[in-house]
Amino acid sequence: MGKFYLTLFVGLVMSLMAFSQEPELIIQNGDFNGVKCVDVSPDNEYILTGSSSGNSIKIWERKTGFLLTTLRCAAKNDYSFSLVSVKFTEDSKYIVSAGSDGTIEIHETRTGALFRSINSGSVNKLILTKDGSLIIHADKQGKLLLWSIKSGELVKTISAHEKTINSLIFSRDGKLLVTGSDDKKIKVWTIPEFNLLKEIDNTYSVESVSISIDGKYIFSGDANGRIHLWDFDSGKHLRVLNIHTKSVDSIECTSDNKFFISGSSDGSVIIWNLLNFRMVHRFFHKGEAASGHAMVLSHDDSYIVSAVNKELSLYHLPTQKEIFSIGNNINVPLRMTMHPAGRYLITANIDQNIRIWDMTEGALKNVLHGHDSVIFTLTMTADGNKIVSSSGDGSIKTWDFELKENLQSFKGNYELSGSSIISFDDKYLFTSYKNYMKVWDLQAGKFLKHITGQTGSIYDIAVSPDGKSLASAGESGEILIRDIPAFDLVRTIDTQAGPVSQISFSPDSRFLASGNYDHNINVWNVETEENIKTLNEQGSRINSLMFSKKNPWIISSRNDGIINIWDFSSGERICKMGDPLHPLRSVIQNPLDSRIYAITGDAIIIWDPVEEKRIATILSLNTDDYIIYTDDNYYACSEGAVKYISFRSGNGFLKRDDYESRFRKPELIRQRLLKDKLP
């Protein structure tokens, strides 16, 4: 969300509030992608979180829970990527992050700029030495690798364990390093020599470790929810604490030697009395952790920062009270389609409901309820009268667009539907399931027939605009074309390019474009089955592909967030836009004004392909509220969304009265959405 600036005061006190004077819109929301790792700044004033799906690093103000800024790693960016560790250096000059692809990045805290990138191979855990000179990371082969922050060079490699190292932590004085591994061993190393001081054999894999301040005890957590207590000197197993029901992912000890804290994948944080080993208090998140529980204790022992899935919580240790809990309030769009007239955008969101947006008014108009599971497919009849949706609840529903009500429901399949499309005469509905398709009489809501014959899974289906052909493609790399209404196989195009993820017919039905796993787009003459041109994407996998109905274009989008527009005649790329920091789910074009709508992460972004710029961003919230905003901070929103709007300027956040009249501009939003629309 922009650059941020830091002032370092005497005593290494950090301030993240010295921003530029121009007000900046910040949407106050949790991390849509979930939180995988956390840290606290040395002065205990700021919280750092790393995303569990994607490459975002967020900085939050500890006192208010306000989101201050978001940084993006330059490393791989798709939903398979996660940040496994984020850390402030002791002098607060840098933020160090480690990704699941093995990339370690060092960002300057003052500017957010990338200072250094290290390709380490694999990273499971990461820690920084107390003097701030070294990064120590554990790989999945049981090695400890030591890197110089200053030079980025590998200083030392230690074969520490025989299997993956799951935990590593320094003693408070920084003189000892404790590691725990899947090889069921706990090891203690001297610093800075990194000599092995002690080895303890455990019966179970070690998920987390810690050491008491007085050096008397070592704690370890296992995957079954047990905490083990060990005598440091003798290595003797003293006791087991068995309250957690799932993996104990974090253990922290307070500096007064009175308490230790455990965080578990069961979604709870427990404060334990270190004198009698009894539970003092237990905090609960809203659910169990899908990918581990991230927890850290502030440097002054006052606060516990805890994250499970998309919920970030702060607890006050002295009073054992929750200070705040920040969840994700975004109602994520999964599918979208456009009314043929171009005025209305229809979306299917993660809450299992369908939303209708009036793009001439810049507002959410209606919400359609009825499905009991996630909506897999969403499409619309060519006359604009009906919306058709299919869901994991096994139903296919048709909705009257004008009346905004469910017309009929008929039983589909409980298995995942890959694609659905309606014939251009609105007579047939086609749905794909794994390696077969179903044909439905859309008017009667009646199943007509199965279509089989595809080798491997079907990834996409398309109907020619002349209504004569149905095409399917997928895992085998073959495109099968059948006639309508007999549905007999008439052509097979072997792309010889591996799996085909997307297909689209040209407006005149003469050509078919295919997006392949080799990252190229091939254009085929349907009649001759000849490949007439190849468009080289040179990026990640293609996830949307279409011929423009308004322009002589082929529009493609990729998982890495890039949208390309190609001139159909020349095959030249005429436009490249998008945001490589935000992976794309799908893309459509407004048939009225050529603008591109892209589902990216938790939002829908509207792009102008002529000027190659972003027009607006649409956020749908969990309560049927919404926010539409521009890059220059103007916004329109429902009344229920006002609480999520904030503006930062200079040394802090503005009061609502100081920004609302200047930046809440529904009319300006409408003007930008209406620009260049046809009469």
Side-chain angles (χ1 to χ4, degrees), residues 88-116:
F88 282 109
T89 57
E90 284 294 315
D91 60 4
S92 300
K93 289 180 65 177
Y94 300 105
I95 292 169
V96 181
S97 65
S100 56
D101 65 349
T103 303
I104 298 173
E105 292 187 355
I106 306 171
H107 289 260
E108 293 181 356
T109 309
R110 184 178 62 84
T111 64
L114 179 63
F115 170 70
R116 192 175 306 288

Side-chain angles (χ1 to χ4, degrees), residues 212 216-219 227-230 238-243 258 260 270-280:
S212 62
K216 289 177 62 177
Y217 304 115
I218 291 177
F219 302 88
I227 299 172
H228 301 268
L229 180 67
W230 309 84
L238 299 177
R239 66 170 64 208
V240 176
L241 304 174
N242 195 4
I243 293 182
K258 292 182 179 180
F260 67 97
I270 297 179
I271 302 171
W272 303 85
N273 188 312
L274 191 50
L275 300 179
N276 58 23
F277 304 105
R278 293 180 179 177
M279 184 175 72
V280 177

